[in-house]
Amino acid sequence: MRTTSTPRRLAGLVVASVGLVLPLAVTAAPPAVAADRTSTTEARRVDRVKTPKISWVEDVERGGYTGKAKLPLDYDKPTGSTVTVALFKVPAADPSRKLGTLFLNPGGPGASGVDMAADAVNFLSQSVLDRFDIVGFDPRGTNRSTEVTCFSSPGAQASALSGLSGAFPAASEQSAFLASKAKLGSACSTYGAKLASAMSTAQVARDLDVLRRAVGDKKLNYLGFSYGSYLGEVYANLFPDRFRAIAVDGVLDPVAYAGTSLTKGTPASIRLKSAEGSWAALRAGLEACADAGEDYCLLSDPQADFDQVAAAMKASPLTIGDGDASYQYRYADFVYDMLSLLYYPEGMNYVVQTVAALKQMIDDGTQTTSGKEAGDRAAGLVLALHEATASLDAGYDNGLEAYSSVLCTDAYQPSSTSTWLAATAKANARAPHFGQLWGWTDVQCATGSWKAKDEDAYHGTYSRNTAAPVLIVGNYHDPATNYGGAVEASLLMPNSVLLRSDSWGHTAYGTSDCVTDRVDGYLLTGAVPAGTADTVCTGDVQPFAIPLVGDPGSGGAGTIKVPSRDGLPKVQLPWERTDG
């Protein structure tokens, strides 16, 4: 394990070990004023809802208890239509010393909190498992809760979304891609509108407050990752006196995410600067590979080699694998897979192994022995990554609809889908490859086609003086939630502390004792550990730290395989490929 380190500071900037210049959040003491209280309007909305009774049913296979709660579809109509929210609980291992319930959210939006709670014993520290009941819930509209459906059948869905041939479109595919995204927006604003217009993060925060009451807690304890950070930010500002501890990791800049009247002409996907975070993480990793040298890195000139492979993939797809197991590997697939790998702390090693194999295929030709061997090595990773992608023909998958129903009701967006053409091109100039990948994710939210509005969505302020402190964790090399988002959130929230981590992958909890111990200490005591604001943690896993052993295809350290997030919270990409 690496110990904490103190960064070199230059006029309000922090210089990380990889040479990136990053903003340093100045965490001042909370203002000596009374804490803000929950507004009369919000208190009335949630407090008049009858506390739901959750009937917990033991799930021996998953080591916990399942439950369901009925909650108002619209908190302005507490006795009207309802949604059912699915929950999972892992009871405190030491119930005699239980502090309360710790609610989890894995992000997405739309990822399963039920699954995260069921996996809690694999990534949460034992000290936390001892003292808290761990509860995850699937937010309204998602997974095992009442699901949003924007189409009448799987066939109708498949037909409407047929233009979504990959994570983002090639130039020749843009018209079909935009048309399918517009059909998605229209469908969620008509057939699916009843639930799609009631899925904003503010509604989920209200659900969370009622669930807090349902489990018998006077104050909320919450740990949120990725988009789950925004749920924590919204809860803290809607209910600034109703939580004991909120820790968020992989943090969104809430103002950039939700937007304002001045920024609504720029897509939310561009405002968040996730593409810049992805590009910075990749460049830093390729630089680390070059610095490590040939005993640790398979590429002689990592950045140039990556650029060569990306350009070749953009020009023409490669056939990966043999026979029935073959796959037409396109540029969009390559960029998506590179981002997928960057989500793992050890992901840069696999990025480089994949690039090395693809480069050999391109240089030697797929018909040569060396090119075929390289193709076989690349196929192991590529096909494994794609294996998890479900085809729409397999049934009704509402993942994209759930993701969209949250983002499109949360965030101010441009009116025309054509805005994304220029916006993604500019983003791609700033952050090659990833500007397109991130930029096209929310085209369906164009207000010309997405009409499902949530009148009770939240757009700030994000600067409430909360009664309890908020712990914000920012990772320098996070490829999804740009480190700058954590800085901005910490500057907005007066009673917050920013913990910085020089680590790799998406989110930082579990990547070092330095981060984990401080988050755990905060959750267990309700107080941020002393010195946290002045600490920069270093991840235990650093790229290119293990020498290569033998040939990359021989089963040694260079073998291409899918990395694992064992021991870490399971976070996922915020959208799904539909390439089947």
Side-chain angles (χ1 to χ4, degrees):
M1 185 197 78
R2 288 175 170 80
T3 58
T4 60
S5 59
T6 301
R8 181 163 52 94
R9 300 182 183 184
L10 297 173
L13 301 176
V14 59
V15 182
S17 60
V18 294
L20 295 177
V21 179
L22 302 162
L24 171 65
V26 179
T27 305
V33 296
D36 290 328
R37 296 180 61 83
T38 299
S39 71
T40 302
T41 299
E42 285 303 330
R44 182 172 179 271
R45 277 185 174 133
V46 294
D47 292 348
R48 63 182 175 173
V49 174
K50 184 178 179 180
T51 302
K53 180 176 175 56
I54 304 171
S55 297
W56 296 105
V57 178
E58 187 172 11
D59 184 335
V60 175
E61 184 177 349
R62 303 188 82 180
Y65 295 82
T66 61
K68 291 185 177 181
K70 285 192 178 295
L71 298 168
L73 175 72
D74 183 348
Y75 276 87
D76 292 328
K77 301 174 183 177
T79 60
S81 299
T82 62
V83 292
T84 298
V85 171
L87 303 101
F88 192 89
K89 177 174 70 174
V90 178
D94 187 354
S96 66
R97 302 172 63 229
K98 190 175 82 169
L99 292 167
T101 298
L102 177 63
F103 285 89
L104 304 178
N105 183 279
S112 173
V114 164
D115 289 345
M116 172 164 262
D119 189 54
V121 295
N122 296 317
F123 75 88
L124 284 178
S125 302
Q126 190 59 49
S127 58
V128 174
L129 294 168
D130 285 343
R131 306 294 301 278
F132 289 100
D133 286 345
I134 307 301
V135 172
F137 67 102
D138 289 345
R140 53 172 61 207
T142 73
N143 302 292
R144 298 166 186 83
S145 297
T146 303
E147 285 192 315
V148 64
T149 54
C150 296
F151 299 94
S152 60
S153 67
Q157 182 194 56
S159 176
L161 303 186
S162 61
L164 307 184
S165 56
F168 60 90
S172 61
E173 299 166 334
Q174 288 178 354
S175 294
F177 193 95
L178 288 172
S180 281
K181 288 280 190 168
K183 289 176 183 177
L184 173 62
S186 177
C188 290
S189 302
T190 51
Y191 187 87
K194 182 176 181 180
L195 185 50
S197 60
M199 287 178 60
S200 72
T201 300
Q203 303 289 16
V204 181
R206 295 173 186 121
D207 290 346
L208 185 55
D209 194 60
V210 176
L211 292 173
R212 168 195 60 77
R213 191 184 346 136
V215 299
D217 282 8
K218 292 183 178 180
K219 301 278 187 176
L220 177 75
N221 299 288
Y222 175 81
L223 176 59
F225 301 91
S226 195
Y227 155 81
S229 68
Y230 185 67
L231 175 56
E233 292 164 338
V234 171
Y235 186 97
N237 284 278
L238 282 177
F239 308 107
D241 55 349
R242 294 193 177 191
F243 68 90
R244 173 184 170 275
I246 289 179
V248 289
D249 182 5
V251 181
L252 300 181
D253 173 350
V255 174
Y257 172 79
T260 68
S261 59
L262 296 178
T263 63
K264 65 181 181 181
T266 300
S269 58
I270 305 296
R271 296 193 301 256
L272 282 171
K273 299 184 179 179
S274 293
E276 286 86 340
S278 302
W279 180 236
L282 175 68
R283 291 187 65 191
L286 294 174
E287 181 182 333
C289 185
D291 291 343
E294 62 182 9
D295 290 338
Y296 297 84
C297 175
L298 286 169
L299 301 176
S300 57
D301 188 341
Q303 185 67 63
D305 292 340
F306 181 92
D307 292 344
Q308 177 197 342
V309 169
M313 294 294 304
K314 194 170 187 178
S316 178
L318 287 172
T319 301
I320 300 292
D322 293 317
D324 293 340
S326 65
Y327 187 87
Q328 283 297 110
Y329 196 46
R330 307 189 313 158
Y331 169 67
D333 302 321
F334 170 72
V335 177
Y336 182 99
D337 289 345
M338 294 301 99
L339 177 58
S340 298
L341 291 171
L342 288 172
Y343 268 49
Y344 301 88
E346 70 273 36
M348 272 307 308
N349 295 67
Y350 298 97
V351 166
V352 165
Q353 289 173 12
T354 306
V355 169
L358 293 173
K359 175 176 165 55
Q360 189 172 350
M361 287 180 67
I362 293 164
D363 289 346
D364 296 353
T366 57
Q367 302 306 310
T368 66
T369 299
S370 60
K372 186 178 185 307
E373 289 175 349
D376 290 342
R377 294 200 302 272
L381 176 59
V382 169
L383 296 178
L385 284 171
H386 287 230
E387 197 173 62
T389 304
S391 169
L392 291 175
D393 293 335
Y396 200 105
D397 180 352
N398 83 328
L400 182 57
E401 289 150 52
Y403 166 77
S404 303
S405 296
V406 178
L407 176 57
C408 299
T409 52
D410 271 345
Y412 289 126
Q413 295 280 21
S415 61
S416 173
T417 57
S418 63
T419 301
W420 273 260
L421 292 168
T424 55
K426 290 179 181 178
N428 217 51
R430 296 190 300 269
H433 319 298
F434 300 111
Q436 297 175 80
L437 182 60
W438 287 103
W440 286 101
T441 59
D442 58 351
V443 187
Q444 63 275 19
C445 297
T447 59
S449 53
W450 189 282
K451 303 293 186 182
K453 301 299 180 183
D454 185 347
E455 62 183 9
D456 296 321
Y458 190 72
H459 288 278
T461 180
Y462 299 96
S463 299
R464 301 287 187 203
N465 182 35
T466 58
V470 175
L471 179 59
I472 295 171
V473 183
N475 172 11
Y476 288 167
H477 304 298
D478 195 308
T481 47
N482 194 317
Y483 169 72
V487 173
E488 289 301 319
S490 71
L491 292 173
L492 284 166
M493 302 182 73
N495 193 7
S496 67
V497 176
L498 173 63
L499 172 60
R500 291 159 288 151
S501 183
D502 184 359
S503 52
W504 300 79
H506 183 30
T507 71
Y509 184 87
T511 63
S512 71
D513 288 350
C514 175
V515 170
T516 305
D517 288 350
R518 282 162 175 75
V519 174
D520 292 347
Y522 166 69
L523 293 174
L524 292 167
T525 66
V528 177
T532 295
D534 297 318
T535 297
V536 177
C537 296
T538 302
D540 292 341
V541 176
Q542 295 294 313
F544 314 110
I546 300 174
L548 299 169
V549 178
D551 181 82
S554 67
T559 300
I560 294 181
K561 59 182 180 179
V562 179
S564 170
R565 284 189 66 95
D566 289 346
L568 300 175
K570 299 297 191 291
V571 291
Q572 65 181 46
L573 289 170
W575 68 93
E576 295 186 13
R577 276 185 311 212
T578 55
D579 49 21

